[in-house]
Amino acid sequence: MEIIQVSAEDTHMHALFAESFTTLGHLDNIALVMVFHPQYLESFLKTQHYLLQMDGPLPLHYRHYIGIMAAARHQCSYLVNVHVNCFLHVGGDPKWLNGLENAPQKLQNLGELNKILAHRPWLITKEHIEQLLKTEEHSWSLAELIHAVVLLTHYHSLASFTFGCGINPEIHCDGGHTFRPPSVSGYCICDIANGNHGVYETQGPAANIATTEPFCEVEALMEKLKQLQECRDDVKASQEEKATRFEKEKRESMLVCCSEDEESVPTRDVSRHFEDTSYGYKDFSRHGMQVPTFHVQDYSWEDHGYSLVNRLYPDVGQLIDEKFQIAYNLTYNTMAMHKDVDTSMLRRAIWNYIHCMFGIRYDDYDYGEINQLLDRSFKIYIKTVVCAPEKTTNRMYDSFWRQFKHSEKVHVNLLLIEARMQAELLYALRAITRYMT
């Protein structure tokens, strides 16, 4: 019931809905959920419109096909269907939709990069880049590759948002039902998007929790923020201590399981758009394979990635940078029922925790703060949405920050998807830079 109604008398919101409508030809549920945060939605729509429709290195049908490939990696049939329709609308060859093996070799060659970027971006090397740029007749130009990489990361992270907020297909699309389909666990992921969220609030494990507990949860978080703020001014951790805390947090993030569910098997409908269906997220230090830490001061978005993207695909670096900034800095200074709260420490903890899961370290950050501010159920939710979004359940969404509004949980999802997109981009762009030098 909290989803903002389209008839809301707000001219800015109306303009945003109109913009979303012109891009896709209908008003999609993603925009209806993102509009809780109009400033972000505006930036998101501008970026997506530029990537899909404005002048750029790749032809229009390639752009939508890459969107399909990226969304299919996470079995996100919602996004796959959207872009199948767009692909056909701009004159794409329907044969390509029978499976990746029917697409041109050039797009097939992108399959490996798509796979690694989506699940284990730390494995991307300059050799992967070289293969794409040097396969004679099917080679990619640098500008085309940058466009493709940005599209892949955009749709991997958008799949995270779709599952993280439980977004269902629109009513006129396949699977977009007005009734609730039966669900194995008694929870249905579509409830958040179609306003039936309250129906389950008296069922399931959450029903046994006394109503005072979530209230205490908010108070406890407020208290921790206050204490950390005070300690930060008194005691500064040494560089060695910070490095140790990062490694500890990185190790612990591997012990956080994405989901207790069994492996979900992709449907043929989605899996035909990519190869190697068994390839998924794996923690980077398993099986004795230690991946070196990615130090942000050696290769950051601000100092390196941004200018590379802007040089090869003008204006896109600027648009993405604006979207990162808005997501990272967005605040209403509220926390559940409290006003005038400085949430910057909490937002930074969430962002840095995601980058930590990808092996990316900020030398000036004390990773001890993460354990203070993010509890286990929240970490499970974050890791699942970012690393294996197709396993996200309604129960996970309900189990963290139980006293917070939907709009605040959507806000969390904006941080998750932008931090994820930036992490993927950093690994890909670093590999491209290494290839170029």
Side-chain angles (χ1 to χ4, degrees), residues 43-206:
S43 174
F44 171 85
L45 290 173
K46 220 165 35 179
T47 307
Q48 185 166 267
H49 178 72
Y50 197 93
L51 288 173
L52 293 175
Q53 294 178 324
M54 301 299 279
D55 284 348
L58 293 173
L60 297 185
H61 62 303
Y62 265 50
R63 303 180 195 194
H64 291 294
Y65 198 81
I66 291 169
I68 294 167
M69 286 171 68
R73 269 293 4 150
H74 284 308
Q75 303 159 40
C76 186
S77 50
Y78 174 91
L79 287 173
V80 168
N81 291 334
V82 165
H83 287 283
V84 161
N85 292 331
C86 293
F87 172 77
L88 294 171
H89 183 68
V90 296
D93 183 346
K95 283 205 236 25
W96 298 10
L97 300 174
N98 293 331
L100 187 57
E101 68 281 3
N102 298 291
Q105 188 60 46
K106 183 170 176 171
L107 282 165
Q108 290 184 43
N109 292 349
L110 199 62
E112 182 74 4
L113 186 68
N114 179 27
K115 175 176 93 169
I116 299 172
L117 253 186
H119 304 297
R120 308 172 203 172
W122 48 87
L123 297 181
I124 291 173
T125 62
K126 69 174 188 180
E127 284 70 31
H128 290 114
I129 304 304
E130 195 166 12
Q131 275 172 337
L132 289 165
L133 297 170
K134 288 212 164 152
T135 41
E136 272 61 53
E137 76 186 286
H138 306 294
S139 67
W140 290 75
S141 72
L142 263 175
E144 287 173 333
L145 187 58
I146 291 282
H147 194 169
V149 161
V150 172
L151 282 166
L152 290 172
T153 57
H154 177 80
Y155 282 104
H156 293 155
S157 52
L158 197 52
S160 283
F161 185 81
T162 305
F163 285 115
C165 295
I167 291 174
N168 243 29
E170 287 79 44
I171 283 168
H172 65 280
C173 300
D174 289 347
H177 305 298
T178 46
F179 60 85
R180 186 180 301 109
S183 155
V184 189
S185 59
Y187 282 82
C188 170
I189 204 158
C190 56
D191 288 318
I192 299 162
N194 59 20
N196 299 326
H197 190 64
V199 178
Y200 287 120
E201 282 177 3
T202 53
Q203 301 173 9

Side-chain angles (χ1 to χ4, degrees), residues 215-225 227 372-373:
F215 183 75
C216 300
E217 191 182 41
V218 180
E219 300 304 321
L221 188 53
M222 294 276 294
E223 190 51 42
K224 279 179 187 161
L225 274 173
Q227 284 170 0
Q372 301 274 327
L373 297 173

